[in-house]
Amino acid sequence: MEETSHRAVAIRDGLGVGVAVGLAGLAFGAAAVTAGMSIAQACVLSLLAFTGASQFALAGAVGAGGDLAASAAGALLLGGRNTLYGLRLAGLLRANGPRRLVVAQGVIDETAAVALAQPNPAAARAGFTATFAALYVTWNLTTLGGAVGTSFLGDPRVLGLDAVGPATFLALLWPRLTRSAELRWLAAGGAAIALAATPFLPPGVPVLLSAVAVLVVMVR
């Protein structure tokens, strides 16, 4: 009975987190079109990449004129943290065979947070599934809505929508920054490196160089 109660709470929390965070897809859809992507490109990126920070980074680099290789490399760098989540969640989720591909698509910040917060493996799996389903559906629907809506505005930059992507990206990071002084120093170091490199290097490359700040922390 207690296990059923834990699963119900996990599902409730997962649905709430998924829908709330998924609404940020509106901002990504707007940012992607503002950066010069088509509606179809924005939607396919959400369907296949499905990791908000990486998607915003890619759209921002493309919008700044960066080449696709550098932009994709920066996005992959940010998305690499999901591999660490996967290692931590493997024992809880116990996915086997082809199901592992579906589960891997859903390993992101929010699903990992909800799953790891549960008191037992059954609740963890229920929370993961609920968060993934709610967030994936909401994120993709709102990406489409944001992209279509922005495409009817003419030049989105006239309305200042080019600032939507960076602002939303900062909003996604802010809760983490407020909880950890080390992360604030890390973010400041990465930003300083990227700003210093921006006048001299092509768009997208400064983001890659900012990872040096992470290496310094790891070495320390």
Side-chain angles (χ1 to χ4, degrees):
M1 191 69 178
E2 185 178 359
E3 182 173 314
T4 302
S5 175
H6 287 153
R7 290 184 61 191
V9 171
I11 292 171
R12 182 199 64 195
D13 292 346
L15 292 175
V17 169
V19 172
V21 177
L23 293 175
L26 285 168
F28 171 71
V33 170
T34 303
M37 294 184 184
S38 67
I39 296 173
Q41 287 172 328
C43 291
V44 168
L45 189 58
S46 279
L47 284 167
L48 300 182
F50 186 55
T51 173
S54 297
Q55 291 181 232
F56 278 111
L58 179 60
V62 169
D67 63 86
L68 186 58
S71 302
L76 286 172
L77 181 66
L78 286 171
R81 70 192 187 283
N82 294 336
T83 303
L84 301 178
Y85 295 153
L87 294 174
R88 177 66 180 84
L89 291 171
L92 286 175
L93 302 180
R94 295 186 297 190
N96 298 308
R99 183 170 171 266
R100 296 179 67 178
L101 297 176
V102 178
V103 171
Q105 176 73 345
V107 176
I108 56 175
D109 294 342
E110 291 77 17
T111 54
V114 172
L116 293 174
Q118 305 311 315
N120 58 63
R125 289 190 290 273
F128 177 91
T129 302
T131 309
F132 178 24
L135 182 49
Y136 191 79
V137 172
T138 307
W139 180 267
N140 281 283
L141 289 176
T142 53
T143 293
L144 175 61
V148 171
T150 304
S151 68
F152 286 109
L153 296 176
D155 184 0
R157 293 176 179 82
V158 174
L159 299 176
L161 290 183
D162 52 325
V164 167
T168 305
F169 187 68
L170 179 60
L172 291 172
L173 291 176
W174 192 255
R176 297 169 177 80
L177 297 178
T178 57
R179 288 196 298 264
S180 170
E182 185 175 62
L183 286 181
R184 289 195 291 274
W185 281 108
L186 181 60
I193 293 171
L195 287 173
T198 295
F200 309 104
L201 297 173
V205 176
V207 175
L208 298 178
L209 286 180
S210 66
V212 172
V214 179
L215 297 178
V216 171
V217 173
M218 290 177 65
V219 170
R220 189 189 69 180

